[in-house]
Amino acid sequence: MRLAGKVALVTGGGSGLGRAMCIRFAEEGASVLVTDIHLEAAQETVSLGQGLPGKLVSRFQDVCDEATWPETLAYAESELGPLSILVNNAGIAVTASVEHETLEGWRKTQAVNLDAVFMGTQAGILAMKGRGGSIINLSSIEGIIGEPLTAAYNASKGGVRIFTKSAALWCCREKYGIRVNSIHPGFIETPMVINGLAQLSDEERAVMDAQLQMAIPMGEMGRPEDIANAALFLASDESRYMTGAELVVDGGYTAH
Ligand SMILES: NC(=O)c1ccc[n+]([C@@H]2O[C@H](COP(=O)([O-])OP(=O)(O)OC[C@H]3O[C@@H](n4cnc5c(N)ncnc54)[C@H](O)[C@@H]3O)[C@@H](O)[C@H]2O)c1
């Protein structure tokens, strides 16, 4: 019960990493508001978590819509109590090189992956300042190293990485008691990665498969639970001395 008495909001909690975090948090006693642009997916996460020590509640949220932030945080507080953990997890990945990306596509990626993390962090600070808490932003190894086929995604996740440090320092300066950290998953088997690989041509896919085999020193993709456990650590008081940190969970991908 490492999160007993805590209240969490996880965006994009209807799939992949977000879902795994919601379940893991509830296993450890947290009450969790699961939001997603696909309400049915968020509701499914709640069903999957039935019987766990922590209560799970779902709500529709498009993280790009600024108006949803105060509404969602007010709902979390009224249903579950004062917020202490916010995970800005919702994200999209579109495969396109710098030559093939469109301005529209670029802006869409920044809107979901970066602008929404800014809005969520700002809203989370407003809700938790004085009382303290943990904000966890999902970056990626793609926020540290470049890939030729993910120009907009690379830019968005690099933005999340350094924005997180700025927010962390501000919260220290203002003595808000809020820690802000980023998680940098490598290749984890979720619908995002599986669907992303499916967008590639057969030739690109074969190159990517071979590169992944070579590039992941541990020799396999990670599981959603691997990231959920990292998020659990950052959400809990066990990480009380960590802020502005980047937690890499990538099977060694960025070690060389
Ligand atoms: N899977 C990986 O290998 C990997 C690696 C590095 C980083 N990440 C990051 O982790 C996060 C989760 O990725 P995942 O693999 O679980 O993806 P996923 O596609 O399985 O899940 C993403 C969830 O976000 C939701 N979502 C998308 N746009 C939204 C919006 N505007 N408002 C609210 N919800 C929205 C989707 O409906 C979905 O439920 C993302 O930020 C992603 O960039 C994933």
Side-chain angles (χ1 to χ4, degrees), residues 12 14-18 36-38 61-64 89-92 112 138-140 153 157 185-188 190-193:
S15 177
L17 305 186
D36 206 290
I37 199 165
H38 294 121
Q61 184 188 19
D62 176 357
V63 291
C64 299
N89 165 77
I92 56 170
V112 182
L138 266 290
S139 179
S140 169
Y153 188 78
K157 294 299 183 179
F187 288 86
I188 313 295
T190 69
M192 174 182 279
V193 167

Coordinates of all heavy atoms in Angstrom, one line a residue, residues 12 14-18 36-38 61-64 89-92 112 138-140 153 157 185-188 190-193, ligand 1:
G12 N -5.0 9.8 -20.5 CA -4.8 8.7 -21.4 C -4.8 7.4 -20.7 O -4.0 6.5 -21.1
G14 N -6.9 5.1 -20.7 CA -7.7 4.0 -21.3 C -6.9 3.0 -22.1 O -7.4 2.1 -22.7
S15 N -5.5 3.2 -22.2 CA -4.8 2.3 -23.0 C -3.3 2.2 -22.4 O -2.9 3.0 -21.6 CB -4.7 2.8 -24.4 OG -3.9 2.0 -25.3
G16 N -2.6 1.2 -22.9 CA -1.2 1.0 -22.8 C -0.6 1.4 -21.4 O -1.0 0.8 -20.4
L17 N 0.3 2.4 -21.4 CA 1.0 2.7 -20.2 C 0.1 3.3 -19.2 O 0.2 3.1 -18.0 CB 2.2 3.7 -20.5 CG 3.2 3.2 -21.6 CD1 4.3 4.2 -21.7 CD2 3.7 1.8 -21.3
G18 N -0.8 4.2 -19.6 CA -1.7 4.9 -18.7 C -2.6 3.9 -18.0 O -2.8 4.0 -16.8
D36 N -9.6 10.0 -20.5 CA -9.2 9.7 -21.8 C -10.1 10.3 -22.8 O -11.3 10.6 -22.5 CB -9.2 8.1 -22.0 CG -8.2 7.7 -23.1 OD1 -8.5 8.0 -24.3 OD2 -7.2 7.1 -22.8
I37 N -9.6 10.6 -24.0 CA -10.5 11.1 -25.1 C -11.4 10.0 -25.5 O -12.5 10.3 -26.1 CB -9.6 11.7 -26.2 CG1 -10.4 12.6 -27.1 CG2 -8.9 10.6 -27.0 CD1 -9.6 13.5 -28.0
H38 N -11.1 8.7 -25.3 CA -12.0 7.6 -25.5 C -12.6 7.2 -24.2 O -11.9 6.4 -23.5 CB -11.2 6.5 -26.2 CG -10.7 6.8 -27.6 ND1 -9.4 6.8 -27.9 CD2 -11.4 7.3 -28.7 CE1 -9.3 7.2 -29.2 NE2 -10.5 7.5 -29.7
Q61 N -11.9 13.3 -21.1 CA -11.1 14.5 -21.2 C -10.3 14.5 -22.4 O -9.5 13.6 -22.7 CB -10.1 14.6 -19.9 CG -9.3 15.9 -19.9 CD -8.2 15.9 -18.9 OE1 -7.8 14.9 -18.4 NE2 -7.8 17.1 -18.6
D62 N -10.4 15.6 -23.2 CA -9.4 15.9 -24.3 C -8.4 16.8 -23.7 O -8.7 18.0 -23.4 CB -10.2 16.5 -25.4 CG -9.2 16.9 -26.6 OD1 -8.0 16.7 -26.4 OD2 -9.7 17.4 -27.6
V63 N -7.2 16.3 -23.5 CA -6.2 17.1 -22.8 C -5.8 18.4 -23.5 O -5.2 19.3 -22.9 CB -4.9 16.3 -22.5 CG1 -5.2 15.2 -21.5 CG2 -4.3 15.7 -23.8
C64 N -6.1 18.5 -24.8 CA -5.8 19.7 -25.6 C -6.8 20.8 -25.3 O -6.6 21.9 -25.7 CB -5.8 19.4 -27.1 SG -4.7 18.1 -27.5
N89 N 0.1 11.7 -19.2 CA 0.5 10.5 -20.0 C 0.0 10.5 -21.4 O 0.6 9.9 -22.3 CB 0.0 9.2 -19.2 CG 0.0 8.0 -20.1 OD1 1.1 7.4 -20.3 ND2 -1.1 7.6 -20.6
A90 N -1.2 11.1 -21.6 CA -1.8 11.0 -22.9 C -0.8 11.5 -24.0 O -0.1 12.5 -23.8 CB -3.1 11.9 -23.0
G91 N -0.8 10.8 -25.1 CA 0.2 11.2 -26.2 C -0.2 10.5 -27.4 O -0.9 9.5 -27.5
I92 N 0.4 11.0 -28.5 CA 0.2 10.4 -29.8 C 1.6 10.3 -30.5 O 2.5 11.1 -30.2 CB -0.8 11.2 -30.8 CG1 -0.3 12.6 -30.9 CG2 -2.2 11.1 -30.2 CD1 -1.1 13.4 -32.0
V112 N -0.9 17.7 -28.5 CA -1.2 16.6 -27.5 C -0.1 16.4 -26.6 O -0.2 16.2 -25.4 CB -1.6 15.3 -28.3 CG1 -2.0 14.2 -27.3 CG2 -2.8 15.6 -29.3
L138 N 5.2 12.2 -19.1 CA 5.7 11.1 -20.0 C 6.4 11.7 -21.1 O 5.8 12.3 -22.0 CB 4.5 10.2 -20.5 CG 4.3 9.0 -19.7 CD1 5.4 7.9 -19.8 CD2 4.1 9.3 -18.2
S139 N 7.7 11.6 -21.1 CA 8.6 12.0 -22.2 C 8.9 10.6 -22.9 O 8.0 9.8 -23.1 CB 9.9 12.7 -21.8 OG 10.7 13.0 -22.9
S140 N 10.1 10.4 -23.3 CA 10.4 9.2 -24.1 C 11.9 9.2 -24.2 O 12.6 10.2 -24.1 CB 9.8 9.3 -25.5 OG 10.3 8.3 -26.3
Y153 N 7.5 14.1 -33.2 CA 7.4 13.4 -31.9 C 8.7 13.7 -31.1 O 8.7 14.0 -29.9 CB 7.3 11.9 -32.1 CG 7.0 11.0 -30.9 CD1 5.8 11.0 -30.3 CD2 8.1 10.2 -30.4 CE1 5.5 10.2 -29.2 CE2 7.8 9.5 -29.2 CZ 6.6 9.4 -28.7 OH 6.3 8.7 -27.5
K157 N 8.7 15.5 -27.4 CA 9.2 14.8 -26.2 C 10.5 15.5 -25.6 O 10.7 15.4 -24.4 CB 9.5 13.3 -26.5 CG 8.2 12.5 -26.8 CD 7.2 12.5 -25.6 CE 6.0 11.7 -25.9 NZ 5.0 11.7 -24.8
P185 N 10.4 6.2 -21.4 CA 10.3 4.8 -21.8 C 11.0 4.6 -23.1 O 11.1 5.5 -23.9 CB 8.8 4.6 -21.9 CG 8.1 5.7 -21.3 CD 9.0 6.9 -21.4
G186 N 11.6 3.4 -23.2 CA 12.1 3.0 -24.5 C 10.9 2.4 -25.3 O 9.8 2.8 -25.1
F187 N 11.2 1.3 -26.0 CA 10.1 0.7 -26.8 C 9.4 -0.3 -25.9 O 9.9 -1.3 -25.4 CB 10.7 -0.1 -28.0 CG 11.2 0.9 -29.1 CD1 12.5 1.4 -29.0 CD2 10.3 1.3 -30.1 CE1 12.9 2.3 -30.0 CE2 10.8 2.2 -31.0 CZ 12.0 2.7 -31.0
I188 N 8.1 0.1 -25.6 CA 7.2 -0.7 -24.8 C 6.1 -1.3 -25.6 O 5.5 -0.5 -26.4 CB 6.7 0.1 -23.6 CG1 7.8 1.0 -22.9 CG2 6.0 -0.8 -22.6 CD1 8.9 0.2 -22.3
T190 N 2.8 -1.5 -26.4 CA 1.5 -0.9 -26.2 C 0.9 -0.7 -27.6 O 1.6 -0.7 -28.6 CB 1.6 0.4 -25.5 OG1 2.2 1.4 -26.4 CG2 2.4 0.4 -24.2
P191 N -0.4 -0.4 -27.7 CA -1.0 -0.1 -29.0 C -0.3 1.0 -29.8 O -0.2 0.9 -31.0 CB -2.4 0.3 -28.6 CG -2.7 -0.5 -27.3 CD -1.4 -0.5 -26.6
M192 N 0.3 2.0 -29.0 CA 1.0 3.0 -29.8 C 2.1 2.5 -30.6 O 2.3 2.8 -31.8 CB 1.5 4.1 -28.8 CG 2.4 5.2 -29.4 SD 3.0 6.3 -28.3 CE 1.6 7.4 -28.1
V193 N 2.9 1.6 -30.0 CA 4.1 1.1 -30.7 C 3.7 0.1 -31.8 O 4.2 0.2 -32.9 CB 5.1 0.5 -29.7 CG1 6.2 -0.3 -30.4 CG2 5.7 1.6 -28.9
Ligands
LIG1 N1 4.8 2.7 -25.7 C1 6.0 3.2 -25.8 O1 6.9 2.5 -26.2 C2 6.3 4.6 -25.4 C3 7.6 5.0 -25.4 C4 8.0 6.3 -24.9 C5 7.0 7.1 -24.5 N2 5.7 6.8 -24.6 C6 4.7 7.7 -24.1 O2 3.8 7.2 -23.1 C7 2.5 7.7 -23.2 C8 1.5 6.6 -23.4 O3 1.8 5.9 -24.5 P1 1.1 4.4 -24.9 O4 2.2 3.7 -25.5 O5 0.4 3.9 -23.7 O6 0.1 4.9 -26.0 P2 -1.4 4.4 -26.3 O7 -1.7 4.9 -27.7 O8 -1.6 3.0 -26.0 O9 -2.3 5.2 -25.3 C9 -2.4 6.6 -25.3 C10 -3.7 7.0 -24.7 O10 -3.8 8.5 -24.8 C11 -5.1 8.8 -25.2 N3 -5.2 10.1 -25.9 C12 -4.6 10.4 -27.1 N4 -4.9 11.7 -27.3 C13 -5.6 12.2 -26.3 C14 -6.2 13.5 -25.9 N5 -6.1 14.5 -26.8 N6 -6.8 13.6 -24.7 C15 -6.9 12.6 -23.9 N7 -6.4 11.3 -24.2 C16 -5.8 11.2 -25.3 C17 -5.5 7.7 -26.2 O11 -6.9 7.6 -26.4 C18 -4.9 6.4 -25.5 O12 -5.8 5.9 -24.6 C19 2.6 8.7 -24.4 O13 2.8 10.0 -24.0 C20 3.7 8.2 -25.2 O14 4.3 9.1 -26.1 C21 5.3 5.5 -25.0

